[in-house]
Amino acid sequence: MAFSANLGGWIADTLVSRGLSVTTVRKIMQTVGFLGPAFFLTQLSHVNSPAMAVLCMACSQGTDAFSQSGLYSNHQDIAPRYSGVLLGLSNTAGVLAGVFGTAATGYILQHGSWDDVFKVSVGLYLVGTVVWNLFSTGEKILD
């Protein structure tokens, strides 16, 4: 993630400096940050070795780091004076998802398998991609 987050930042800065709008760049980076992990999680059910499973998980986390140039940079774009508060609120929502996700994972594993857990994750990534691309903006909303 350390490598790919920096790579994503460099790509995002390059795209903006070449004239793409901040909104477009944030959408591209967040899409990579959501669809990349979704793809690698779908591959887990097809691997036959622990090493390949670890590689898929590492690639999933690595592509997730592109979100640093999407969602996590977006707070500064839309409300520079309130970006800290917005980041705190969005991280709180993320933590709540983690709390409920842990319970949901236990429930799913009692009735299914890890493949089912990863399918739910992929579904959430896909829904998140659609919602982000429909409603996000890189334009200032609050002063």
Side-chain angles (χ1 to χ4, degrees):
M1 286 185 81
F3 172 77
S4 58
N6 283 291
L7 176 64
W10 178 80
I11 292 170
D13 289 345
T14 300
L15 292 173
V16 170
S17 70
R18 291 190 179 169
L20 264 69
S21 72
V22 173
T23 297
T24 300
V25 171
R26 297 293 182 243
K27 288 183 178 190
I28 290 169
M29 301 311 287
Q30 192 60 43
T31 298
V32 172
F34 277 165
L35 295 183
F39 169 76
F40 288 108
L41 290 176
T42 63
Q43 300 311 299
L44 285 169
S45 63
H46 306 293
V47 299
N48 297 319
S49 73
M52 286 304 293
V54 169
L55 180 63
C56 283
M57 293 300 287
C59 290
S60 176
Q61 287 298 110
T63 54
D64 183 73
F66 277 70
S67 295
Q68 301 295 325
S69 300
L71 168 69
Y72 291 103
S73 298
N74 196 241
H75 300 90
Q76 186 69 32
D77 300 328
I78 64 174
R81 288 182 54 203
Y82 303 103
S83 60
V85 173
L86 288 176
L87 183 59
L89 290 171
S90 64
N91 276 343
T92 299
V95 167
L96 291 175
V99 169
F100 295 124
T102 302
T105 299
Y107 178 81
I108 293 168
L109 288 175
Q110 285 179 341
H111 299 91
S113 69
W114 278 105
D115 281 344
D116 299 325
V117 172
F118 294 134
K119 286 175 186 175
V120 171
S121 296
V122 168
L124 291 171
Y125 273 126
L126 295 176
V127 169
T129 302
V130 170
V131 170
W132 178 263
N133 282 296
L134 286 176
F135 298 110
S136 69
T137 183
E139 305 303 318
K140 188 183 290 188
I141 295 173
L142 298 172
D143 218 0

